Amino acid sequence: MKSIFRLLVLFYFLIFLISLNNSSDNIIKSIDIIPISNNNNNNNNNNNNNNNNNNNNNNNNNNNNNISTVNTNNNNNNSSINNYNNNNSISNRLKVFIVHGQNNIVREKVSKLVFEMGFEPIILFEKPNNGQTIIEKLEKEISNCKFGIVIMSPDNKAFIKDQINSSDYIEIAYPRLNVIFEFGYLIGKFGRSNVIYLSVPYNGKFENYHLPSDLLGYVWVNYTEDLNELKNEINFGNYIKK
């Protein structure tokens, strides 16, 4: 009887062990399966993240390329602006010496026209003295110019003897002496072909407007309010412009 009982106990114990082994196998299998699925998901997520990163990198590269293009365009625009400024800066303009008398209105109009035409007008009294004498200052400023404009205006008045009746005196008008002197200096410096003689009309009788006889054959440009004759002379004359 005891032997039968022992057999039964062993039988049930074996059954218990078998069931225990089966359950442990299932647990191990389930444990093995779960990490695999998680790893796959993680790998997929990582791949997605990598793809997203690649897309972001591509977008960043595209953005960088766009920024580079914009910067290049900005550089081109800046260089164009710089070139424009350089071409129009006063330091790059050709200098034109303007000789004038006491007619300030005509002087200012001529100076403005010369500037608007792309030149730098040089007027002696507007330049610094730097301890120079007048003739030194004149020589220095003229040496930097390419051609000159002489405004001949009847600023002075005087009396001369009448050629018919020597006892009578006739009132005459004539340009200031410094204008005549500088006119001759410009001719000697630039040559007559690079000096424009701008004649301001005299309101009195023409015979009472006196000029040095050496200038009587010099063809002048008539002063007009719109300065068209002077403008045409500068544009179409063979003056040094470069």
Side-chain angles (χ1 to χ4, degrees), residues 46-57:
N46 288 331
N47 290 330
N48 290 331
N49 289 331
N50 289 331
N51 290 330
N52 289 331
N53 288 332
N54 289 331
N55 290 331
N56 289 331
N57 289 331

Side-chain angles (χ1 to χ4, degrees), residues 124-171:
L124 191 63
F125 81 90
E126 294 179 349
K127 299 300 178 180
N129 296 320
N130 293 326
Q132 304 171 99
T133 63
I134 294 177
I135 190 65
E136 288 172 340
K137 184 178 177 182
L138 181 68
E139 290 172 343
K140 176 185 176 182
E141 297 300 335
I142 289 178
S143 66
N144 296 323
C145 298
K146 296 298 184 181
F147 68 94
I149 300 173
V150 180
I151 303 172
M152 298 284 278
S153 56
D155 297 323
N156 288 357
K157 287 186 178 182
F159 291 90
I160 62 172
K161 283 186 177 182
D162 189 347
Q163 294 179 355
I164 298 174
N165 187 354
S166 60
S167 61
D168 292 337
Y169 287 84
I170 301 174
E171 182 178 303

Side-chain angles (χ1 to χ4, degrees), residues 24-162:
S24 63
D25 289 338
N26 290 331
I27 291 171
I28 291 171
K29 287 180 181 180
S30 63
I31 291 173
D32 289 339
I33 291 171
I34 290 172
I36 291 172
S37 63
N38 285 336
N39 286 333
N40 289 332
N41 290 332
N42 288 333
N43 289 331
N44 290 330
N45 290 331
N46 288 331
N47 290 330
N48 290 331
N49 289 331
N50 289 331
N51 290 330
N52 289 331
N53 288 332
N54 289 331
N55 290 331
N56 289 331
N57 289 331
N58 290 331
N59 290 331
N60 288 332
N61 289 331
N62 290 332
N63 290 333
N64 289 332
N65 289 332
N66 291 333
I67 291 171
S68 298
T69 303
V70 171
N71 288 334
T72 302
N73 291 332
N74 287 334
N75 290 333
N76 290 334
N77 291 333
N78 290 333
S79 63
S80 298
I81 292 171
N82 289 332
N83 289 333
Y84 175 81
N85 289 334
N86 288 332
N87 291 332
N88 290 275
S89 63
I90 292 179
S91 61
N92 292 331
R93 291 171 177 249
L94 294 180
K95 296 180 179 180
V96 179
F97 193 85
I98 298 177
V99 177
H100 63 91
Q102 292 184 326
N103 195 323
N104 296 331
I105 294 175
V106 175
R107 183 198 73 228
E108 290 174 1
K109 290 181 69 174
V110 171
S111 177
K112 181 180 179 182
L113 173 67
V114 169
F115 184 83
E116 289 175 347
M117 294 182 71
F119 301 100
E120 180 184 355
I122 301 298
I123 297 174
L124 191 63
F125 81 90
E126 294 179 349
K127 299 300 178 180
N129 296 320
N130 293 326
Q132 304 171 99
T133 63
I134 294 177
I135 190 65
E136 288 172 340
K137 184 178 177 182
L138 181 68
E139 290 172 343
K140 176 185 176 182
E141 297 300 335
I142 289 178
S143 66
N144 296 323
C145 298
K146 296 298 184 181
F147 68 94
I149 300 173
V150 180
I151 303 172
M152 298 284 278
S153 56
D155 297 323
N156 288 357
K157 287 186 178 182
F159 291 90
I160 62 172
K161 283 186 177 182
D162 189 347

